[in-house]
Amino acid sequence: MSVIEAAGVRVLTGHTGAVNSVAFSPDGVRLSTASEDKTARVWNASTGALVHTLSGHTDAVFAAPFSPNGAMIATVSADLTPRQWDVSTGTCSHKLVGHNIAVFGVTFSPNGRALATTSYDETIRIWETASGNCLHVLEGHGDIVYGAAFSPDGRLLATASGDGTTRLWNIGTGACLRVFTGHTGIVSAVAFSPDGALIATASFDGTARLWEVATGNCRRILNGHTDTVWSIAFSPAERVVVSASEDATAMVWDAVSGTLIRTLEGHTDSAFVVAFSPDGRLIATASSDTTVRLWDAASGKAVRTLEGHTGAVGSLAFSPADRRLATASTDETARVWSL
């Protein structure tokens, strides 16, 4: 393990496989990475020093988010068994047994008391974080479940699937409340609006859609991309949503009217991931062209291109505490950029 620092960027090396994801702790003090090398790692986000290596998985680790209070990390892996870890000690507190095919996605509820995992086995499981017990097995999708998002109040879960649908679930009972149909391809990503009134979905059919949570109606179809839409995110500051696509662009949309506000052009290959900064002023896009680009959210002006990775960039995260951005790449490194 080593840390290379130059020109406002720290390069975190030590993984021996592609780095699949990166996440900041809620206070911005720690950084987690998940890798194809079967481990996750915890780093000091300021110095880049390695704090813990989370070892025990027997196959690739796809994600390693922190709990809302920063005390836990959850990991999901191709080895079928999600795990919970104590951040202070780096030890595994719970192995979550039940999925029977690779577990791809994981997200904590807003209060941290529950954890949702999504799997190639076509199910979602809801776990109690205190005990590691499985509270509900959510069944109904007819294909891989690619992602999930909790509503801001933590009462609902929206899930995105290869069967072309999104489902809305009651976390308390495990009941499926609504099935959102209309996409003609895999639903690759799902997100709730900050007020919880809307759900946005991204699809392989080249569109994004906005759905009303209360009625299940499709409010708007966001047409404009010419290829798979990989990622979608709501602005925390205003009623705007941004999508990122295989067509190498990101598009900014009015979340009320569905009108295309602007197209963010500059990447030379697929734009995999898009995210807003916590204050909503910046948009970041990560691409298979090995770069990350920063955009002014208000004007769409390109602010900065972050260059240095030598492989596709498939994950990024803004620090919730200051102006830093973390990125993860197939080049086996993570980077922390000062903005």
Side-chain angles (χ1 to χ4, degrees):
M1 186 280 295
S2 64
V3 181
I4 304 167
E5 184 175 1
V9 58
R10 286 189 174 86
V11 184
L12 309 182
T13 63
H15 281 298
T16 57
V19 183
N20 291 320
S21 73
V22 64
F24 278 99
S25 61
D27 60 7
V29 173
R30 296 280 186 261
L31 187 75
S32 68
T33 52
S35 173
E36 294 285 322
D37 68 8
K38 307 176 187 178
T39 72
R41 293 183 177 225
V42 182
W43 313 79
N44 182 303
S46 296
T47 66
L50 180 64
V51 179
H52 300 298
T53 298
L54 309 183
S55 299
H57 284 296
T58 58
D59 210 329
V61 183
F62 297 122
F66 286 86
S67 61
N69 66 2
M72 289 180 287
I73 285 174
T75 54
V76 287
S77 169
D79 71 5
L80 319 186
T81 308
R83 295 179 181 228
Q84 288 178 219
W85 308 80
D86 184 295
V87 172
S88 62
T89 64
T91 58
C92 179
S93 54
H94 298 297
K95 295 180 184 179
L96 309 180
V97 179
H99 286 294
N100 55 45
I101 309 181
V103 187
F104 185 76
V106 60
T107 184
F108 281 96
S109 65
N111 64 12
R113 296 175 184 170
L115 187 70
T117 54
T118 62
S119 173
Y120 282 56
D121 68 11
E122 305 180 2
T123 73
I124 308 97
R125 287 180 179 252
I126 308 298
W127 312 85
E128 182 182 56
T129 54
S131 66
N133 292 333
C134 183
L135 300 175
H136 303 293
V137 180
L138 309 183
E139 297 178 298
H141 280 301
D143 206 326
I144 295 166
V145 186
Y146 285 99
F150 279 97
S151 60
D153 64 9
R155 297 179 181 179
L156 303 173
L157 186 78
T159 54
S161 172
D163 66 11
T165 72
T166 298
R167 286 179 176 249
L168 188 67
W169 311 83
N170 181 304
I171 293 306
T173 66
C176 180
L177 303 177
R178 302 190 191 287
V179 181
F180 301 95
T181 60
H183 282 299
T184 57
I186 289 168
V187 182
S188 50
V190 61
F192 272 94
S193 61
D195 63 4
L198 295 176
I199 289 171
T201 54
S203 173
F204 279 35
D205 66 12
T207 72
R209 291 182 179 233
L210 297 172
W211 311 82
E212 296 176 354
V213 172
T215 66
N217 293 333
C218 179
R219 175 181 282 189
R220 299 285 183 263
I221 300 174
L222 308 182
N223 279 303
H225 288 295
T226 59
D227 209 328
T228 295
V229 184
W230 288 111
S231 177
I232 196 153
F234 280 96
S235 167
E238 54 185 326
R239 294 292 282 248
V240 168
V241 66
V242 62
S243 54
S245 171
E246 183 74 17
D247 67 13
T249 72
M251 292 187 173
V252 183
W253 312 83
D254 185 303
V256 177
S257 67
T259 303
L260 177 63
I261 299 171
R262 63 184 59 90
T263 301
L264 308 181
E265 296 179 291
H267 285 298
T268 59
D269 208 337
S270 176
F272 283 134
V273 185
V274 64
F276 281 92
S277 60
D279 61 10
R281 295 181 180 180
L282 290 176
I283 296 170
T285 52
S287 172
S288 56
D289 69 9
T290 75
T291 72
V292 174
R293 290 177 181 253
L294 296 174
W295 316 82
D296 180 86
S299 68
K301 180 181 177 181
V303 175
R304 187 176 170 190
T305 301
L306 306 181
E307 297 178 299
H309 281 299
T310 58
V313 185
S315 177
L316 58 80
F318 281 97
S319 168
D322 51 36
R323 293 182 71 81
R324 287 178 294 170
L325 181 76
T327 56
S329 172
T330 58
D331 66 11
E332 303 184 357
T333 73
R335 292 180 176 236
V336 182
W337 311 80
S338 175
L339 306 181

